[in-house]
Amino acid sequence: MINLIIREILNDYVAFINDFKHQFSPNMEEFEQRSSRNRSGNIGEFKYQFHGAGCRLEKDAIVCEFDYMPTNEYPIKFSIWKINEFILTNNTYSINKLELSELYEALHPLVENGTLVKLVLDHVVWEVYQI
């Protein structure tokens, strides 16, 4: 089931994050500066908390965790756990339980075709996806 809707989920995930980013600050430089000063709060319908390179968003009971690291052309980074949290708290998909291995199997072809890119730091490939 997850294989059929994984692209839709990723589109929704990125749109959710971008909606927050545009409300927080439409300018990327300003976003970076404001996120280092305003570590938690509310903006619009979003509740947010920055923690290290990570950010936790909540809106309408949907939890969206992501890492924001503008170290390359892929500023949004996430782990399997983070996208799983988004899926399970989002009623749109009607998924109550999802094995992480099943999610990994759905994401793997997207890495192979270049839709997603794994994070590489110091020649180490991490189980972190970038989009």
Side-chain angles (χ1 to χ4, degrees):
M1 154 104 179
I2 193 73
N3 289 337
L4 300 175
I5 61 170
I6 193 65
R7 285 180 186 269
E8 175 187 343
I9 290 168
L10 288 172
N11 288 337
D12 292 348
Y13 181 77
V14 170
F16 194 92
I17 293 167
N18 285 336
D19 185 22
F20 166 74
K21 284 173 38 179
H22 291 302
Q23 288 185 44
F24 191 75
S25 176
N27 175 294
M28 285 310 291
E29 274 186 37
E30 185 180 325
F31 177 84
E32 291 174 28
Q33 291 171 357
R34 286 188 68 195
S35 65
S36 66
R37 291 190 313 265
N38 302 323
R39 302 302 289 170
S40 64
N42 296 296
I43 190 159
E45 297 177 24
F46 288 98
K47 179 179 176 183
Y48 68 90
Q49 180 179 10
F50 290 98
H51 46 89
C55 183
R56 177 184 175 93
L57 303 176
E58 293 181 40
K59 177 183 168 188
D60 300 329
I62 298 170
V63 175
C64 180
E65 293 258 2
F66 68 100
D67 291 326
Y68 179 76
M69 289 176 40
T71 56
N72 58 29
E73 66 271 25
Y74 307 103
I76 297 173
K77 297 166 181 24
F78 63 92
S79 65
I80 295 254
W81 179 86
K82 289 177 181 184
I83 195 75
N84 189 53
E85 190 78 6
F86 180 77
I87 294 167
L88 294 179
T89 60
N90 193 326
N91 292 331
T92 303
Y93 314 118
S94 301
I95 299 173
N96 298 324
K97 185 179 178 193
L98 181 60
E99 296 294 327
L100 295 182
S101 59
E102 183 181 359
L103 186 51
Y104 174 83
E105 292 299 321
L107 293 174
H108 184 71
L110 299 178
V111 171
E112 288 192 347
N113 74 19
T115 302
L116 294 174
V117 176
K118 286 206 176 176
L119 177 64
V120 179
L121 292 173
D122 296 326
H123 307 291
V124 176
V125 179
W126 296 85
E127 286 301 314
V128 173
Y129 299 88
Q130 304 176 107
I131 193 165

